[in-house]
Amino acid sequence: MKPTAPRSEAPAIPSSTLQQHVAAVSIDATPRGYQLTTRQRFAEPREQLFAFFGDAGNLAAMTPAYLHFRILTPLPIRMQTGTLIDYRLRLRRIPIRWRTRIRAWEPPHRFIDEQLRGPYRFWHHQHQFVTLEDGTTEMTDVVDYGVTCGAVVHPLWVSGELKRIFAFRRATLAERFLTA
């Protein structure tokens, strides 16, 4: 890990850096809705990366400040299958409450969070950590999700917004960890 001070707030990322990361976030239509996928390689071992992602307190540092993201569940949160986490954020000045449940918890390989209440028809986010032959770790996010009036709303607002959010997350992680 790069030497940085702990952060509870998201850092400012230059727009040129964000644009590079937007290209690495793909969104495809599926029979049920949409699937967002992004992969990133790191020099750190997967156990270290999993521990970082497994600490819900790190979510705010990976979320753009304009979303005003806050975890409502008292910290620290003991992560395990079945854990519930409540959040609050604002999107386009609209306050949103979001509740997720940890559907699968398999350290240091993967975990899955799913939306129980929130802005999407459904949200199923798998975080996977794989050690590659060269000793680096590949982290993959796969998010299956659906939106109401998807054919209209998705291309106008949702797709671009999610790409920007995940690009910000990628840029923040590249700043925090050693990318391979």
Side-chain angles (χ1 to χ4, degrees):
M1 186 183 316
K2 293 179 184 176
T4 59
R7 284 184 258 208
S8 59
E9 295 280 327
I13 304 288
S15 61
S16 60
T17 301
L18 284 178
Q19 286 306 313
Q20 292 170 2
H21 287 281
V22 164
V25 179
S26 68
I27 296 179
D28 297 302
T30 67
R32 287 189 62 211
Y34 303 93
Q35 184 175 78
L36 178 149
T37 305
T38 185
R39 288 180 173 76
Q40 200 165 5
R41 287 179 57 179
F42 299 97
E44 285 81 5
R46 74 174 170 195
E47 293 79 9
Q48 184 177 345
L49 290 165
F50 191 94
F52 177 81
F53 277 87
D55 180 350
N58 290 325
L59 281 170
M62 294 185 287
T63 306
Y66 71 86
L67 290 174
H68 303 280
F69 177 85
R70 297 290 176 261
I71 298 173
L72 301 176
T73 304
L75 296 173
I77 298 171
R78 184 168 178 254
M79 298 294 276
Q80 61 187 11
T81 300
T83 295
L84 299 176
I85 307 172
D86 291 307
Y87 317 93
R88 182 184 68 218
L89 58 101
R90 278 191 308 214
L91 185 56
R92 301 182 193 277
R93 298 185 184 161
I94 300 170
I96 297 171
R97 291 179 77 94
W98 193 328
R99 171 174 270 190
T100 60
R101 173 179 49 212
I102 302 302
R103 182 174 168 199
W105 183 254
E106 302 167 12
H109 307 284
R110 75 180 187 127
F111 68 96
I112 299 170
D113 61 85
E114 63 184 358
Q115 173 191 282
L116 298 179
R117 182 181 68 232
Y120 296 92
R121 266 194 2 238
F122 64 91
W123 176 274
H124 179 269
H125 183 178
Q126 177 173 259
H127 313 251
Q128 187 170 351
F129 304 83
V130 175
T131 301
L132 302 176
E133 287 183 17
D134 63 2
T136 62
T137 301
E138 182 177 74
M139 184 196 70
T140 304
D141 285 300
V142 178
V143 182
D144 291 296
Y145 64 98
V147 294
T148 302
C149 302
V152 174
V153 173
H154 190 263
L156 290 176
W157 294 293
V158 178
S159 177
E161 192 67 48
L162 283 176
K163 281 187 173 194
R164 283 188 295 277
I165 291 167
F166 275 82
F168 180 89
R169 175 182 160 131
R170 287 176 55 85
T172 301
L173 293 169
E175 189 177 277
R176 180 176 291 267
F177 295 103
L178 300 172
T179 52

